[in-house]
PDB file of all heavy atoms in Angstrom:
ATOM      1  N   ASN A  39      14.210  19.879 -33.796  1.00  0.00           N
ATOM      2  CA  ASN A  39      12.910  19.995 -34.459  1.00  0.00           C
ATOM      3  C   ASN A  39      11.755  19.417 -33.657  1.00  0.00           C
ATOM      4  O   ASN A  39      10.614  19.832 -33.838  1.00  0.00           O
ATOM      5  CB  ASN A  39      12.972  19.385 -35.853  1.00  0.00           C
ATOM      6  CG  ASN A  39      13.856  20.197 -36.764  1.00  0.00           C
ATOM      7  OD1 ASN A  39      14.066  21.391 -36.544  1.00  0.00           O
ATOM      8  ND2 ASN A  39      14.417  19.575 -37.768  1.00  0.00           N
ATOM      9  N   GLU A  40      12.029  18.500 -32.763  1.00  0.00           N
ATOM     10  CA  GLU A  40      10.962  17.978 -31.901  1.00  0.00           C
ATOM     11  C   GLU A  40      10.435  19.087 -30.993  1.00  0.00           C
ATOM     12  O   GLU A  40       9.235  19.279 -30.862  1.00  0.00           O
ATOM     13  CB  GLU A  40      11.493  16.809 -31.071  1.00  0.00           C
ATOM     14  CG  GLU A  40      10.428  16.101 -30.268  1.00  0.00           C
ATOM     15  CD  GLU A  40      10.978  14.879 -29.549  1.00  0.00           C
ATOM     16  OE1 GLU A  40      11.741  14.113 -30.156  1.00  0.00           O
ATOM     17  OE2 GLU A  40      10.624  14.718 -28.371  1.00  0.00           O
ATOM     18  N   LYS A  41      11.347  19.823 -30.407  1.00  0.00           N
ATOM     19  CA  LYS A  41      10.957  20.934 -29.535  1.00  0.00           C
ATOM     20  C   LYS A  41      10.347  22.069 -30.364  1.00  0.00           C
ATOM     21  O   LYS A  41       9.375  22.690 -29.956  1.00  0.00           O
ATOM     22  CB  LYS A  41      12.159  21.433 -28.747  1.00  0.00           C
ATOM     23  CG  LYS A  41      11.783  22.353 -27.598  1.00  0.00           C
ATOM     24  CD  LYS A  41      12.992  22.721 -26.777  1.00  0.00           C
ATOM     25  CE  LYS A  41      13.241  21.613 -25.781  1.00  0.00           C
ATOM     26  NZ  LYS A  41      14.311  21.949 -24.825  1.00  0.00           N
ATOM     27  N   LEU A  42      10.926  22.330 -31.531  1.00  0.00           N
ATOM     28  CA  LEU A  42      10.409  23.370 -32.420  1.00  0.00           C
ATOM     29  C   LEU A  42       8.951  23.088 -32.782  1.00  0.00           C
ATOM     30  O   LEU A  42       8.110  23.976 -32.740  1.00  0.00           O
ATOM     31  CB  LEU A  42      11.270  23.460 -33.679  1.00  0.00           C
ATOM     32  CG  LEU A  42      10.922  24.534 -34.688  1.00  0.00           C
ATOM     33  CD1 LEU A  42      11.115  25.927 -34.093  1.00  0.00           C
ATOM     34  CD2 LEU A  42      11.785  24.378 -35.943  1.00  0.00           C
ATOM     35  N   LYS A  43       8.657  21.846 -33.103  1.00  0.00           N
ATOM     36  CA  LYS A  43       7.290  21.453 -33.479  1.00  0.00           C
ATOM     37  C   LYS A  43       6.315  21.625 -32.317  1.00  0.00           C
ATOM     38  O   LYS A  43       5.174  22.033 -32.503  1.00  0.00           O
ATOM     39  CB  LYS A  43       7.291  19.998 -33.957  1.00  0.00           C
ATOM     40  CG  LYS A  43       5.957  19.551 -34.488  1.00  0.00           C
ATOM     41  CD  LYS A  43       6.053  18.151 -35.066  1.00  0.00           C
ATOM     42  CE  LYS A  43       4.758  17.786 -35.762  1.00  0.00           C
ATOM     43  NZ  LYS A  43       4.858  16.485 -36.434  1.00  0.00           N
ATOM     44  N   GLU A  44       6.799  21.346 -31.110  1.00  0.00           N
ATOM     45  CA  GLU A  44       5.946  21.438 -29.919  1.00  0.00           C
ATOM     46  C   GLU A  44       5.492  22.865 -29.634  1.00  0.00           C
ATOM     47  O   GLU A  44       4.400  23.084 -29.119  1.00  0.00           O
ATOM     48  CB  GLU A  44       6.706  20.882 -28.713  1.00  0.00           C
ATOM     49  CG  GLU A  44       5.914  20.869 -27.431  1.00  0.00           C
ATOM     50  CD  GLU A  44       6.693  20.299 -26.256  1.00  0.00           C
ATOM     51  OE1 GLU A  44       7.798  19.735 -26.451  1.00  0.00           O
ATOM     52  OE2 GLU A  44       6.204  20.432 -25.126  1.00  0.00           O
ATOM     53  N   TYR A  45       6.320  23.843 -29.977  1.00  0.00           N
ATOM     54  CA  TYR A  45       6.036  25.232 -29.615  1.00  0.00           C
ATOM     55  C   TYR A  45       5.710  26.142 -30.792  1.00  0.00           C
ATOM     56  O   TYR A  45       5.823  27.360 -30.689  1.00  0.00           O
ATOM     57  CB  TYR A  45       7.200  25.809 -28.794  1.00  0.00           C
ATOM     58  CG  TYR A  45       7.292  25.149 -27.439  1.00  0.00           C
ATOM     59  CD1 TYR A  45       8.214  24.141 -27.193  1.00  0.00           C
ATOM     60  CD2 TYR A  45       6.422  25.503 -26.412  1.00  0.00           C
ATOM     61  CE1 TYR A  45       8.286  23.515 -25.962  1.00  0.00           C
ATOM     62  CE2 TYR A  45       6.488  24.888 -25.178  1.00  0.00           C
ATOM     63  CZ  TYR A  45       7.420  23.896 -24.962  1.00  0.00           C
ATOM     64  OH  TYR A  45       7.477  23.275 -23.736  1.00  0.00           O
ATOM     65  N   THR A  46       5.355  25.549 -31.939  1.00  0.00           N
ATOM     66  CA  THR A  46       4.910  26.334 -33.088  1.00  0.00           C
ATOM     67  C   THR A  46       3.625  25.726 -33.637  1.00  0.00           C
ATOM     68  O   THR A  46       3.347  24.549 -33.423  1.00  0.00           O
ATOM     69  CB  THR A  46       5.970  26.355 -34.215  1.00  0.00           C
ATOM     70  OG1 THR A  46       6.280  25.012 -34.599  1.00  0.00           O
ATOM     71  CG2 THR A  46       7.238  27.061 -33.793  1.00  0.00           C
ATOM     72  N   THR A  47       2.873  26.540 -34.354  1.00  0.00           N
ATOM     73  CA  THR A  47       1.688  26.009 -35.023  1.00  0.00           C
ATOM     74  C   THR A  47       2.158  25.140 -36.194  1.00  0.00           C
ATOM     75  O   THR A  47       3.281  25.317 -36.684  1.00  0.00           O
ATOM     76  CB  THR A  47       0.787  27.142 -35.554  1.00  0.00           C
ATOM     77  OG1 THR A  47       1.530  27.925 -36.488  1.00  0.00           O
ATOM     78  CG2 THR A  47       0.265  28.016 -34.416  1.00  0.00           C
ATOM     79  N   PRO A  48       1.324  24.207 -36.663  1.00  0.00           N
ATOM     80  CA  PRO A  48       1.750  23.331 -37.773  1.00  0.00           C
ATOM     81  C   PRO A  48       2.214  24.097 -39.015  1.00  0.00           C
ATOM     82  O   PRO A  48       3.223  23.738 -39.630  1.00  0.00           O
ATOM     83  CB  PRO A  48       0.494  22.501 -38.070  1.00  0.00           C
ATOM     84  CG  PRO A  48      -0.246  22.470 -36.772  1.00  0.00           C
ATOM     85  CD  PRO A  48       0.024  23.818 -36.140  1.00  0.00           C
ATOM     86  N   GLU A  49       1.508  25.167 -39.382  1.00  0.00           N
ATOM     87  CA  GLU A  49       1.884  25.950 -40.561  1.00  0.00           C
ATOM     88  C   GLU A  49       3.249  26.621 -40.361  1.00  0.00           C
ATOM     89  O   GLU A  49       4.073  26.657 -41.268  1.00  0.00           O
ATOM     90  CB  GLU A  49       0.842  27.029 -40.859  1.00  0.00           C
ATOM     91  CG  GLU A  49      -0.560  26.524 -41.101  1.00  0.00           C
ATOM     92  CD  GLU A  49      -1.342  26.262 -39.811  1.00  0.00           C
ATOM     93  OE1 GLU A  49      -0.950  26.739 -38.732  1.00  0.00           O
ATOM     94  OE2 GLU A  49      -2.337  25.525 -39.887  1.00  0.00           O
TER      95      GLU A  49
END
Side-chain angles (χ1 to χ4, degrees):
N39 292 336
E40 187 175 316
K41 193 175 276 187
L42 183 64
K43 186 175 188 175
E44 182 179 350
Y45 292 100
T46 57
T47 60
E49 302 83 16

